[in-house]
Amino acid sequence: MTVRTILKMGDPRLLEVSLPVDPIDGNALAPLLNDMWDTMAAANGAGLAAPQIGVMRRVVIFGYQTNSRYPDAPAVPETVLINPQITPLGDAREDGWEGCLSVPGMRGMVPRYREIRYRGYDQHGELIEREVSGFHARVVQHECDHLDGILYPQRIEDMRSFGFIDTLTEQGVMELQPCDD
Ligand code: NI
């Protein structure tokens, strides 16, 4: 149970493609998952990918019942997702502000698929398969991008919609709202 250091943008490990977990061994994964939940909670994040703490494996966690920073954010079930795969359901995308614990203090406007199906495994090797939309879909797309070495700034289409949280809110460009860091 340790709060680990979160790598920041500029660290080349965040640009690597992470390796699948095979076999999925709950006992072997427990220390990593405990550290990931502790680290995410300490940072008040909505999700975390293993490479963000320097573990180059295809493991993400996300979800919360309530988030003190975002009291109006819809709840997302607390989920461990190993070797995830995402299939967009339809072509529709929507723009939303995103942040990332590896890009502290900033937000950018990122288009994501509105609706997706995702599949993966929990720490017991049980299949998880869900069809989700909106913020839940956004969080999963953001976290899974980390497994392919992609940080959200690479997804921003208009770099004028990228800036520091305090300035964006002071200037009224962005209302404080859910993000998926
Ligand atoms: Ni992130």
Side-chain angles (χ1 to χ4, degrees):
M1 300 281 279
T2 308
V3 175
R4 304 269 292 263
T5 301
I6 297 174
L7 307 184
K8 290 189 209 165
M9 186 170 68
D11 189 307
R13 286 173 286 180
L14 291 172
L15 305 176
E16 287 180 24
V17 176
S18 291
L19 298 169
V21 177
D22 184 28
I24 295 171
D25 176 341
N27 290 329
L29 285 165
L32 169 65
L33 291 169
N34 286 335
D35 285 1
M36 288 177 70
W37 286 114
D38 288 349
T39 303
M40 185 179 112
N44 216 359
L48 189 75
Q52 289 182 278
I53 58 168
V55 176
M56 311 314 293
R57 292 288 168 175
R58 302 185 80 83
V59 177
V60 301
I61 63 170
F62 54 84
Y64 53 85
Q65 295 308 308
T66 59
N67 185 309
S68 60
R69 286 191 301 167
Y70 307 110
D72 297 329
V76 174
E78 291 180 338
T79 302
V80 170
L81 201 58
I82 299 166
N83 300 341
Q85 290 183 306
I86 292 176
T87 308
L89 298 176
D91 295 328
R93 295 173 183 232
E94 59 192 5
D95 287 329
W97 291 101
E98 289 189 17
C100 181
L101 296 175
S102 295
V103 191
M106 303 194 79
R107 291 283 186 276
M109 183 71 83
V110 181
R112 297 285 187 187
Y113 289 107
R114 188 192 308 274
E115 210 174 342
I116 61 169
R117 174 186 301 122
Y118 66 83
R119 292 168 59 104
Y121 298 89
D122 72 9
Q123 66 270 39
H124 310 295
E126 298 290 329
L127 180 68
I128 296 171
E129 184 166 18
R130 295 180 182 145
E131 293 185 5
V132 301
S133 60
F135 184 64
H136 188 157
R138 178 172 295 276
V139 171
V140 175
Q141 288 172 84
H142 175 112
E143 297 310 331
C144 292
D145 262 358
H146 279 294
L147 306 181
D148 291 323
I150 297 168
L151 298 172
Y152 82 82
Q154 294 165 252
R155 298 281 192 195
I156 297 173
E157 292 185 345
D158 182 349
M159 290 303 285
R160 294 176 298 181
S161 298
F162 183 41
F164 292 94
I165 295 167
D166 50 2
T167 306
L168 289 167
T169 49
E170 276 164 27
Q171 296 296 322
V173 177
M174 180 186 77
E175 290 178 26
L176 272 182
Q177 59 181 298
C179 72
D180 48 346
D181 57 353

